Amino acid sequence: MKNLKVCPKCNGIDIIRIPGKAGAYGTGNNIMTGSTIFSAVKVTRYLCCDCGYTEEWIDNKEDINKLRKSF
């Protein structure tokens, strides 16, 4: 859905992008790699408004490397 803008489940094209965010105490759509908000890796969601299917993506290669080191 991220690249083709088409839902792989229903072939719907009404796709919305929900940006990841990191808030106080680790709230938001993120993965914590440390104990502070600055260590959060933001996770972007893509939602098909036709069937409700979602996908989650890490958009930044540096963040992927940060996760690789943490896990």
Short mmCIF file of all heavy atoms in Angstrom, two decimals:
data_model
loop_
_atom_site.label_atom_id
_atom_site.label_comp_id
_atom_site.label_asym_id
_atom_site.label_seq_id
_atom_site.Cartn_x
_atom_site.Cartn_y
_atom_site.Cartn_z
N MET A 1 0.83 -1.19 0.00
CA MET A 1 0.00 0.00 0.00
C MET A 1 0.87 1.25 0.00
O MET A 1 0.47 2.26 -0.57
CB MET A 1 -0.91 0.01 1.23
CG MET A 1 -2.00 -1.01 1.16
SD MET A 1 -3.38 -0.85 2.32
CE MET A 1 -2.65 -0.46 3.85
N LYS A 2 2.02 1.16 0.64
CA LYS A 2 2.90 2.33 0.71
C LYS A 2 3.33 2.80 -0.68
O LYS A 2 3.28 3.99 -0.96
CB LYS A 2 4.13 1.98 1.54
CG LYS A 2 5.16 3.07 1.59
CD LYS A 2 6.38 2.61 2.36
CE LYS A 2 7.48 3.63 2.29
NZ LYS A 2 8.71 3.18 2.95
N ASN A 3 3.74 1.89 -1.52
CA ASN A 3 4.29 2.26 -2.82
C ASN A 3 3.25 2.30 -3.94
O ASN A 3 3.25 3.21 -4.75
CB ASN A 3 5.42 1.30 -3.19
CG ASN A 3 6.55 1.36 -2.19
OD1 ASN A 3 6.90 2.41 -1.68
ND2 ASN A 3 7.11 0.21 -1.86
N LEU A 4 2.38 1.31 -3.98
CA LEU A 4 1.42 1.20 -5.09
C LEU A 4 0.12 1.95 -4.84
O LEU A 4 -0.66 2.16 -5.76
CB LEU A 4 1.12 -0.27 -5.38
CG LEU A 4 2.32 -1.12 -5.80
CD1 LEU A 4 1.89 -2.57 -5.99
CD2 LEU A 4 2.95 -0.57 -7.06
N LYS A 5 -0.15 2.32 -3.58
CA LYS A 5 -1.38 3.02 -3.20
C LYS A 5 -2.63 2.20 -3.52
O LYS A 5 -3.68 2.74 -3.84
CB LYS A 5 -1.46 4.39 -3.88
CG LYS A 5 -0.23 5.26 -3.71
CD LYS A 5 -0.07 5.75 -2.31
CE LYS A 5 0.99 6.81 -2.18
NZ LYS A 5 2.31 6.34 -1.84
N VAL A 6 -2.48 0.85 -3.44
CA VAL A 6 -3.60 -0.06 -3.67
C VAL A 6 -3.60 -1.08 -2.53
O VAL A 6 -2.56 -1.61 -2.17
CB VAL A 6 -3.47 -0.79 -5.03
CG1 VAL A 6 -4.56 -1.83 -5.20
CG2 VAL A 6 -3.48 0.20 -6.16
N CYS A 7 -4.75 -1.36 -1.98
CA CYS A 7 -4.87 -2.34 -0.89
C CYS A 7 -4.65 -3.75 -1.43
O CYS A 7 -5.29 -4.16 -2.40
CB CYS A 7 -6.25 -2.24 -0.26
SG CYS A 7 -6.54 -3.47 1.04
N PRO A 8 -3.76 -4.52 -0.81
CA PRO A 8 -3.51 -5.89 -1.28
C PRO A 8 -4.65 -6.86 -0.94
O PRO A 8 -4.70 -7.95 -1.49
CB PRO A 8 -2.22 -6.29 -0.56
CG PRO A 8 -2.22 -5.48 0.68
CD PRO A 8 -2.88 -4.18 0.31
N LYS A 9 -5.56 -6.46 -0.08
CA LYS A 9 -6.66 -7.35 0.31
C LYS A 9 -7.90 -7.16 -0.55
O LYS A 9 -8.53 -8.13 -0.95
CB LYS A 9 -7.02 -7.12 1.79
CG LYS A 9 -5.88 -7.41 2.73
CD LYS A 9 -5.50 -8.87 2.71
CE LYS A 9 -4.35 -9.13 3.65
NZ LYS A 9 -3.84 -10.47 3.56
N CYS A 10 -8.27 -5.88 -0.79
CA CYS A 10 -9.53 -5.64 -1.51
C CYS A 10 -9.35 -4.85 -2.80
O CYS A 10 -10.33 -4.56 -3.49
CB CYS A 10 -10.52 -4.91 -0.60
SG CYS A 10 -10.13 -3.16 -0.33
N ASN A 11 -8.11 -4.48 -3.12
CA ASN A 11 -7.78 -3.66 -4.30
C ASN A 11 -8.37 -2.25 -4.23
O ASN A 11 -8.49 -1.57 -5.24
CB ASN A 11 -8.21 -4.34 -5.60
CG ASN A 11 -7.38 -5.57 -5.87
OD1 ASN A 11 -6.17 -5.57 -5.67
ND2 ASN A 11 -8.02 -6.64 -6.31
N GLY A 12 -8.73 -1.82 -3.02
CA GLY A 12 -9.23 -0.46 -2.84
C GLY A 12 -8.12 0.56 -3.06
O GLY A 12 -6.94 0.27 -2.86
N ILE A 13 -8.51 1.76 -3.45
CA ILE A 13 -7.52 2.81 -3.71
C ILE A 13 -7.67 4.00 -2.76
O ILE A 13 -6.96 4.99 -2.89
CB ILE A 13 -7.58 3.28 -5.17
CG1 ILE A 13 -8.96 3.79 -5.53
CG2 ILE A 13 -7.12 2.18 -6.11
CD1 ILE A 13 -9.04 4.48 -6.87
N ASP A 14 -8.60 3.91 -1.80
CA ASP A 14 -8.78 4.98 -0.82
C ASP A 14 -7.87 4.69 0.37
O ASP A 14 -8.28 4.14 1.38
CB ASP A 14 -10.25 5.06 -0.39
CG ASP A 14 -10.56 6.28 0.46
OD1 ASP A 14 -9.67 7.14 0.61
OD2 ASP A 14 -11.68 6.36 0.98
N ILE A 15 -6.59 5.05 0.22
CA ILE A 15 -5.55 4.74 1.20
C ILE A 15 -5.14 6.04 1.89
O ILE A 15 -4.90 7.05 1.22
CB ILE A 15 -4.30 4.12 0.52
CG1 ILE A 15 -4.68 2.94 -0.37
CG2 ILE A 15 -3.24 3.76 1.55
CD1 ILE A 15 -5.27 1.76 0.35
N ILE A 16 -5.07 5.99 3.22
CA ILE A 16 -4.56 7.16 3.93
C ILE A 16 -3.28 6.79 4.68
O ILE A 16 -3.09 5.65 5.08
CB ILE A 16 -5.60 7.77 4.90
CG1 ILE A 16 -6.04 6.78 5.97
CG2 ILE A 16 -6.78 8.32 4.15
CD1 ILE A 16 -6.92 7.38 7.05
N ARG A 17 -2.43 7.78 4.81
CA ARG A 17 -1.14 7.64 5.52
C ARG A 17 -1.27 8.31 6.87
O ARG A 17 -1.65 9.48 6.96
CB ARG A 17 -0.03 8.30 4.71
CG ARG A 17 1.33 8.22 5.35
CD ARG A 17 2.35 8.98 4.49
NE ARG A 17 3.67 8.87 5.05
CZ ARG A 17 4.17 9.70 5.96
NH1 ARG A 17 3.46 10.71 6.40
NH2 ARG A 17 5.39 9.53 6.43
N ILE A 18 -0.99 7.56 7.93
CA ILE A 18 -1.05 8.09 9.29
C ILE A 18 0.38 8.14 9.81
O ILE A 18 0.98 7.09 10.09
CB ILE A 18 -1.93 7.20 10.19
CG1 ILE A 18 -3.32 7.04 9.57
CG2 ILE A 18 -2.01 7.77 11.60
CD1 ILE A 18 -4.15 5.93 10.14
N PRO A 19 0.95 9.34 9.91
CA PRO A 19 2.36 9.44 10.32
C PRO A 19 2.57 8.97 11.75
O PRO A 19 1.71 9.15 12.62
CB PRO A 19 2.68 10.92 10.19
CG PRO A 19 1.47 11.60 9.70
CD PRO A 19 0.35 10.62 9.66
N GLY A 20 3.72 8.37 11.98
CA GLY A 20 4.09 7.97 13.33
C GLY A 20 4.44 9.20 14.16
O GLY A 20 4.79 10.25 13.62
N LYS A 21 4.30 9.06 15.47
CA LYS A 21 4.70 10.15 16.35
C LYS A 21 5.17 9.57 17.67
O LYS A 21 4.84 8.43 18.02
CB LYS A 21 3.57 11.14 16.56
CG LYS A 21 2.36 10.59 17.29
CD LYS A 21 1.31 11.65 17.49
CE LYS A 21 0.14 11.08 18.27
NZ LYS A 21 -0.87 12.09 18.54
N ALA A 22 5.95 10.34 18.36
CA ALA A 22 6.45 9.94 19.67
C ALA A 22 6.09 11.04 20.66
O ALA A 22 6.44 12.20 20.47
CB ALA A 22 7.96 9.73 19.62
N GLY A 23 5.37 10.66 21.70
CA GLY A 23 4.96 11.61 22.72
C GLY A 23 5.58 11.28 24.06
O GLY A 23 6.41 10.39 24.19
N ALA A 24 5.13 12.01 25.04
CA ALA A 24 5.63 11.82 26.40
C ALA A 24 5.38 10.39 26.89
O ALA A 24 4.36 9.78 26.57
CB ALA A 24 4.94 12.81 27.34
N TYR A 25 6.34 9.87 27.61
CA TYR A 25 6.26 8.53 28.21
C TYR A 25 6.12 7.42 27.17
O TYR A 25 5.54 6.38 27.43
CB TYR A 25 5.13 8.46 29.24
CG TYR A 25 5.20 9.53 30.28
CD1 TYR A 25 4.35 10.62 30.25
CD2 TYR A 25 6.16 9.47 31.29
CE1 TYR A 25 4.44 11.62 31.20
CE2 TYR A 25 6.26 10.47 32.24
CZ TYR A 25 5.40 11.54 32.20
OH TYR A 25 5.50 12.54 33.14
N GLY A 26 6.59 7.67 25.96
CA GLY A 26 6.56 6.64 24.93
C GLY A 26 5.23 6.49 24.22
O GLY A 26 5.03 5.51 23.49
N THR A 27 4.32 7.44 24.40
CA THR A 27 3.03 7.34 23.72
C THR A 27 3.19 7.62 22.23
O THR A 27 4.16 8.22 21.79
CB THR A 27 2.02 8.34 24.31
OG1 THR A 27 2.52 9.66 24.12
CG2 THR A 27 1.78 8.07 25.78
N GLY A 28 2.23 7.18 21.46
CA GLY A 28 2.24 7.39 20.01
C GLY A 28 2.52 6.09 19.29
O GLY A 28 2.66 5.03 19.90
N ASN A 29 2.60 6.18 17.98
CA ASN A 29 2.89 5.00 17.17
C ASN A 29 4.39 4.96 16.92
O ASN A 29 4.90 5.55 15.97
CB ASN A 29 2.10 5.06 15.86
CG ASN A 29 2.08 3.71 15.18
OD1 ASN A 29 2.13 2.68 15.84
ND2 ASN A 29 2.02 3.71 13.87
N ASN A 30 5.10 4.27 17.82
CA ASN A 30 6.55 4.22 17.75
C ASN A 30 7.07 2.97 18.41
O ASN A 30 6.33 2.25 19.07
CB ASN A 30 7.16 5.46 18.40
CG ASN A 30 6.84 5.55 19.87
OD1 ASN A 30 7.36 4.79 20.68
ND2 ASN A 30 5.97 6.47 20.25
N ILE A 31 8.36 2.73 18.24
CA ILE A 31 9.06 1.64 18.91
C ILE A 31 10.20 2.28 19.69
O ILE A 31 11.03 2.98 19.10
CB ILE A 31 9.62 0.61 17.91
CG1 ILE A 31 8.49 0.01 17.08
CG2 ILE A 31 10.39 -0.49 18.65
CD1 ILE A 31 8.98 -0.83 15.90
N MET A 32 10.21 2.08 20.98
CA MET A 32 11.26 2.65 21.83
C MET A 32 12.51 1.77 21.76
O MET A 32 12.43 0.56 21.91
CB MET A 32 10.77 2.78 23.27
CG MET A 32 9.57 3.69 23.45
SD MET A 32 9.86 5.38 22.94
CE MET A 32 11.01 5.91 24.20
N THR A 33 13.66 2.40 21.51
CA THR A 33 14.92 1.67 21.48
C THR A 33 15.80 2.04 22.67
O THR A 33 16.90 1.51 22.81
CB THR A 33 15.70 1.94 20.17
OG1 THR A 33 15.98 3.33 20.09
CG2 THR A 33 14.89 1.47 18.98
N GLY A 34 15.32 2.95 23.50
CA GLY A 34 16.04 3.38 24.69
C GLY A 34 15.04 3.91 25.71
O GLY A 34 13.84 3.66 25.60
N SER A 35 15.52 4.67 26.66
CA SER A 35 14.65 5.11 27.74
C SER A 35 14.12 6.53 27.57
O SER A 35 13.33 6.99 28.38
CB SER A 35 15.39 4.99 29.08
OG SER A 35 16.57 5.78 29.04
N THR A 36 14.52 7.23 26.51
CA THR A 36 14.03 8.60 26.31
C THR A 36 13.26 8.70 25.00
O THR A 36 13.37 7.84 24.12
CB THR A 36 15.19 9.61 26.27
OG1 THR A 36 15.96 9.40 25.08
CG2 THR A 36 16.09 9.48 27.50
N ILE A 37 12.51 9.78 24.87
CA ILE A 37 11.72 10.02 23.66
C ILE A 37 12.62 10.15 22.42
O ILE A 37 12.20 9.86 21.30
CB ILE A 37 10.84 11.28 23.84
CG1 ILE A 37 9.79 11.36 22.74
CG2 ILE A 37 11.67 12.53 23.90
CD1 ILE A 37 8.76 12.44 22.94
N PHE A 38 13.86 10.55 22.62
CA PHE A 38 14.78 10.72 21.50
C PHE A 38 15.21 9.38 20.90
O PHE A 38 15.78 9.35 19.81
CB PHE A 38 15.99 11.54 21.95
CG PHE A 38 15.61 12.89 22.47
CD1 PHE A 38 15.69 13.18 23.81
CD2 PHE A 38 15.13 13.86 21.61
CE1 PHE A 38 15.32 14.42 24.29
CE2 PHE A 38 14.75 15.11 22.08
CZ PHE A 38 14.84 15.39 23.43
N SER A 39 14.94 8.30 21.58
CA SER A 39 15.29 6.97 21.06
C SER A 39 14.14 6.32 20.30
O SER A 39 14.28 5.22 19.78
CB SER A 39 15.71 6.05 22.21
OG SER A 39 14.59 5.73 23.01
N ALA A 40 13.01 7.01 20.20
CA ALA A 40 11.83 6.44 19.56
C ALA A 40 11.99 6.37 18.05
O ALA A 40 12.47 7.31 17.41
CB ALA A 40 10.59 7.27 19.90
N VAL A 41 11.59 5.25 17.48
CA VAL A 41 11.53 5.07 16.03
C VAL A 41 10.06 5.18 15.65
O VAL A 41 9.22 4.42 16.13
CB VAL A 41 12.11 3.71 15.61
CG1 VAL A 41 11.86 3.44 14.14
CG2 VAL A 41 13.59 3.65 15.94
N LYS A 42 9.76 6.14 14.79
CA LYS A 42 8.36 6.37 14.40
C LYS A 42 7.91 5.33 13.37
O LYS A 42 8.64 4.99 12.45
CB LYS A 42 8.22 7.77 13.84
CG LYS A 42 8.50 8.85 14.87
CD LYS A 42 8.45 10.21 14.26
CE LYS A 42 8.84 11.25 15.31
NZ LYS A 42 9.00 12.57 14.71
N VAL A 43 6.68 4.84 13.57
CA VAL A 43 6.10 3.83 12.69
C VAL A 43 4.91 4.46 11.95
O VAL A 43 3.97 4.93 12.58
CB VAL A 43 5.63 2.60 13.51
CG1 VAL A 43 5.00 1.56 12.60
CG2 VAL A 43 6.77 2.01 14.31
N THR A 44 4.99 4.48 10.64
CA THR A 44 3.92 5.05 9.81
C THR A 44 2.92 3.97 9.46
O THR A 44 3.30 2.86 9.08
CB THR A 44 4.51 5.66 8.53
OG1 THR A 44 5.48 6.65 8.89
CG2 THR A 44 3.43 6.29 7.67
N ARG A 45 1.64 4.29 9.58
CA ARG A 45 0.57 3.35 9.23
C ARG A 45 -0.07 3.76 7.92
O ARG A 45 -0.22 4.94 7.63
CB ARG A 45 -0.51 3.34 10.31
CG ARG A 45 -0.09 2.75 11.60
CD ARG A 45 -1.25 2.77 12.58
NE ARG A 45 -0.83 2.25 13.86
CZ ARG A 45 -1.33 2.63 15.02
NH1 ARG A 45 -2.27 3.56 15.05
NH2 ARG A 45 -0.90 2.11 16.14
N TYR A 46 -0.45 2.75 7.15
CA TYR A 46 -1.23 2.96 5.93
C TYR A 46 -2.53 2.20 6.11
O TYR A 46 -2.52 1.02 6.46
CB TYR A 46 -0.46 2.46 4.70
CG TYR A 46 0.75 3.32 4.42
CD1 TYR A 46 1.95 3.10 5.08
CD2 TYR A 46 0.68 4.37 3.52
CE1 TYR A 46 3.06 3.90 4.86
CE2 TYR A 46 1.78 5.17 3.28
CZ TYR A 46 2.96 4.94 3.95
OH TYR A 46 4.05 5.74 3.73
N LEU A 47 -3.65 2.89 5.89
CA LEU A 47 -4.97 2.33 6.15
C LEU A 47 -5.82 2.36 4.89
O LEU A 47 -5.93 3.40 4.23
CB LEU A 47 -5.67 3.14 7.25
CG LEU A 47 -7.15 2.89 7.46
CD1 LEU A 47 -7.39 1.51 8.06
CD2 LEU A 47 -7.75 3.97 8.33
N CYS A 48 -6.42 1.22 4.57
CA CYS A 48 -7.39 1.16 3.48
C CYS A 48 -8.75 1.55 4.06
O CYS A 48 -9.26 0.90 4.97
CB CYS A 48 -7.46 -0.26 2.90
SG CYS A 48 -8.77 -0.44 1.65
N CYS A 49 -9.32 2.63 3.53
CA CYS A 49 -10.61 3.10 4.03
C CYS A 49 -11.78 2.29 3.49
O CYS A 49 -12.92 2.46 3.94
CB CYS A 49 -10.80 4.58 3.66
SG CYS A 49 -9.64 5.66 4.52
N ASP A 50 -11.52 1.36 2.56
CA ASP A 50 -12.58 0.51 2.03
C ASP A 50 -12.80 -0.72 2.91
O ASP A 50 -13.94 -1.07 3.21
CB ASP A 50 -12.27 0.09 0.60
CG ASP A 50 -12.30 1.26 -0.37
OD1 ASP A 50 -13.13 2.17 -0.18
OD2 ASP A 50 -11.49 1.26 -1.31
N CYS A 51 -11.71 -1.38 3.34
CA CYS A 51 -11.88 -2.63 4.09
C CYS A 51 -11.28 -2.59 5.50
O CYS A 51 -11.52 -3.48 6.30
CB CYS A 51 -11.28 -3.81 3.32
SG CYS A 51 -9.47 -3.85 3.28
N GLY A 52 -10.47 -1.56 5.80
CA GLY A 52 -9.89 -1.45 7.14
C GLY A 52 -8.54 -2.10 7.31
O GLY A 52 -7.96 -2.06 8.40
N TYR A 53 -8.00 -2.70 6.27
CA TYR A 53 -6.68 -3.33 6.36
C TYR A 53 -5.63 -2.27 6.62
O TYR A 53 -5.69 -1.17 6.07
CB TYR A 53 -6.39 -4.08 5.05
CG TYR A 53 -5.02 -4.70 5.00
CD1 TYR A 53 -4.73 -5.85 5.71
CD2 TYR A 53 -4.00 -4.12 4.25
CE1 TYR A 53 -3.47 -6.43 5.66
CE2 TYR A 53 -2.74 -4.68 4.20
CZ TYR A 53 -2.48 -5.84 4.91
OH TYR A 53 -1.23 -6.39 4.87
N THR A 54 -4.64 -2.59 7.47
CA THR A 54 -3.55 -1.66 7.75
C THR A 54 -2.20 -2.32 7.55
O THR A 54 -2.06 -3.54 7.69
CB THR A 54 -3.60 -1.11 9.19
OG1 THR A 54 -3.42 -2.19 10.11
CG2 THR A 54 -4.90 -0.41 9.48
N GLU A 55 -1.21 -1.49 7.23
CA GLU A 55 0.19 -1.90 7.18
C GLU A 55 0.99 -0.89 7.97
O GLU A 55 0.63 0.29 8.03
CB GLU A 55 0.73 -1.92 5.74
CG GLU A 55 0.19 -3.03 4.90
CD GLU A 55 0.80 -3.03 3.49
OE1 GLU A 55 1.55 -2.11 3.12
OE2 GLU A 55 0.49 -3.98 2.76
N GLU A 56 2.08 -1.34 8.58
CA GLU A 56 2.97 -0.44 9.30
C GLU A 56 4.35 -0.49 8.66
O GLU A 56 4.84 -1.56 8.31
CB GLU A 56 3.07 -0.83 10.77
CG GLU A 56 1.76 -0.66 11.51
CD GLU A 56 1.89 -0.89 13.00
OE1 GLU A 56 2.80 -1.64 13.42
OE2 GLU A 56 1.10 -0.31 13.75
N TRP A 57 4.97 0.69 8.52
CA TRP A 57 6.26 0.81 7.86
C TRP A 57 7.19 1.70 8.66
O TRP A 57 6.76 2.69 9.25
CB TRP A 57 6.09 1.43 6.47
CG TRP A 57 5.47 0.52 5.47
CD1 TRP A 57 4.13 0.24 5.32
CD2 TRP A 57 6.13 -0.24 4.47
NE1 TRP A 57 3.94 -0.64 4.30
CE2 TRP A 57 5.16 -0.94 3.76
CE3 TRP A 57 7.46 -0.38 4.11
CZ2 TRP A 57 5.46 -1.78 2.70
CZ3 TRP A 57 7.77 -1.21 3.05
CH2 TRP A 57 6.78 -1.90 2.36
N ILE A 58 8.47 1.36 8.64
CA ILE A 58 9.53 2.24 9.13
C ILE A 58 10.09 2.92 7.89
O ILE A 58 10.64 2.25 7.01
CB ILE A 58 10.65 1.45 9.86
CG1 ILE A 58 10.08 0.54 10.94
CG2 ILE A 58 11.71 2.40 10.39
CD1 ILE A 58 9.39 1.24 12.07
N ASP A 59 9.94 4.23 7.79
CA ASP A 59 10.29 4.94 6.56
C ASP A 59 11.76 5.32 6.44
O ASP A 59 12.24 5.57 5.34
CB ASP A 59 9.44 6.22 6.44
CG ASP A 59 7.97 5.90 6.19
OD1 ASP A 59 7.68 4.89 5.55
OD2 ASP A 59 7.13 6.70 6.65
N ASN A 60 12.47 5.35 7.54
CA ASN A 60 13.83 5.86 7.55
C ASN A 60 14.84 4.72 7.71
O ASN A 60 14.77 3.95 8.66
CB ASN A 60 13.96 6.86 8.71
CG ASN A 60 15.26 7.57 8.76
OD1 ASN A 60 16.28 7.06 8.33
ND2 ASN A 60 15.25 8.75 9.34
N LYS A 61 15.78 4.60 6.79
CA LYS A 61 16.81 3.53 6.85
C LYS A 61 17.64 3.62 8.13
O LYS A 61 18.02 2.60 8.69
CB LYS A 61 17.73 3.60 5.63
CG LYS A 61 17.12 3.10 4.36
CD LYS A 61 17.07 1.60 4.38
CE LYS A 61 16.71 1.09 3.01
NZ LYS A 61 16.47 -0.34 3.01
N GLU A 62 17.94 4.82 8.59
CA GLU A 62 18.70 4.97 9.83
C GLU A 62 17.93 4.38 11.01
O GLU A 62 18.52 3.78 11.91
CB GLU A 62 19.01 6.44 10.08
CG GLU A 62 20.01 7.03 9.10
CD GLU A 62 20.22 8.51 9.31
OE1 GLU A 62 19.85 9.03 10.38
OE2 GLU A 62 20.76 9.15 8.39
N ASP A 63 16.61 4.55 11.00
CA ASP A 63 15.78 3.99 12.07
C ASP A 63 15.79 2.46 12.01
O ASP A 63 15.77 1.79 13.04
CB ASP A 63 14.35 4.51 11.99
CG ASP A 63 14.23 5.95 12.48
OD1 ASP A 63 15.14 6.41 13.20
OD2 ASP A 63 13.24 6.60 12.13
N ILE A 64 15.81 1.90 10.81
CA ILE A 64 15.88 0.45 10.68
C ILE A 64 17.18 -0.06 11.27
O ILE A 64 17.20 -1.07 12.00
CB ILE A 64 15.72 0.03 9.20
CG1 ILE A 64 14.29 0.34 8.72
CG2 ILE A 64 16.04 -1.46 9.02
CD1 ILE A 64 14.09 0.17 7.24
N ASN A 65 18.27 0.62 11.01
CA ASN A 65 19.56 0.24 11.58
C ASN A 65 19.56 0.37 13.11
O ASN A 65 20.13 -0.46 13.82
CB ASN A 65 20.69 1.07 10.98
CG ASN A 65 20.97 0.68 9.55
OD1 ASN A 65 20.75 -0.46 9.15
ND2 ASN A 65 21.42 1.62 8.75
N LYS A 66 18.89 1.41 13.63
CA LYS A 66 18.77 1.58 15.07
C LYS A 66 18.02 0.40 15.69
O LYS A 66 18.40 -0.12 16.74
CB LYS A 66 18.02 2.89 15.38
CG LYS A 66 18.02 3.25 16.85
CD LYS A 66 17.09 4.43 17.18
CE LYS A 66 17.47 5.72 16.52
NZ LYS A 66 16.63 6.85 17.00
N LEU A 67 16.96 -0.05 15.03
CA LEU A 67 16.21 -1.22 15.52
C LEU A 67 17.03 -2.49 15.44
O LEU A 67 16.99 -3.33 16.35
CB LEU A 67 14.92 -1.38 14.71
CG LEU A 67 13.85 -0.32 14.98
CD1 LEU A 67 12.76 -0.39 13.94
CD2 LEU A 67 13.27 -0.51 16.38
N ARG A 68 17.79 -2.64 14.37
CA ARG A 68 18.63 -3.82 14.20
C ARG A 68 19.63 -3.92 15.38
O ARG A 68 19.85 -5.00 15.92
CB ARG A 68 19.39 -3.75 12.88
CG ARG A 68 20.24 -4.98 12.61
CD ARG A 68 20.95 -4.92 11.28
NE ARG A 68 19.97 -5.15 10.21
CZ ARG A 68 19.86 -4.38 9.13
NH1 ARG A 68 20.62 -3.35 8.95
NH2 ARG A 68 18.97 -4.69 8.22
N LYS A 69 20.21 -2.80 15.77
CA LYS A 69 21.16 -2.79 16.87
C LYS A 69 20.49 -3.05 18.22
O LYS A 69 21.08 -3.69 19.09
CB LYS A 69 21.89 -1.45 16.92
CG LYS A 69 22.85 -1.26 15.78
CD LYS A 69 23.49 0.12 15.83
CE LYS A 69 24.36 0.35 14.60
NZ LYS A 69 24.87 1.73 14.57
N SER A 70 19.27 -2.58 18.39
CA SER A 70 18.57 -2.73 19.66
C SER A 70 17.98 -4.12 19.86
O SER A 70 17.86 -4.59 20.99
CB SER A 70 17.44 -1.71 19.77
OG SER A 70 17.98 -0.42 19.86
N PHE A 71 17.58 -4.76 18.77
CA PHE A 71 16.90 -6.04 18.89
C PHE A 71 17.70 -7.14 18.22
O PHE A 71 17.41 -8.26 18.21
CB PHE A 71 15.49 -5.96 18.30
CG PHE A 71 14.60 -5.01 19.06
CD1 PHE A 71 14.44 -3.71 18.63
CD2 PHE A 71 13.96 -5.41 20.21
CE1 PHE A 71 13.62 -2.83 19.33
CE2 PHE A 71 13.14 -4.54 20.91
CZ PHE A 71 12.97 -3.25 20.47
#
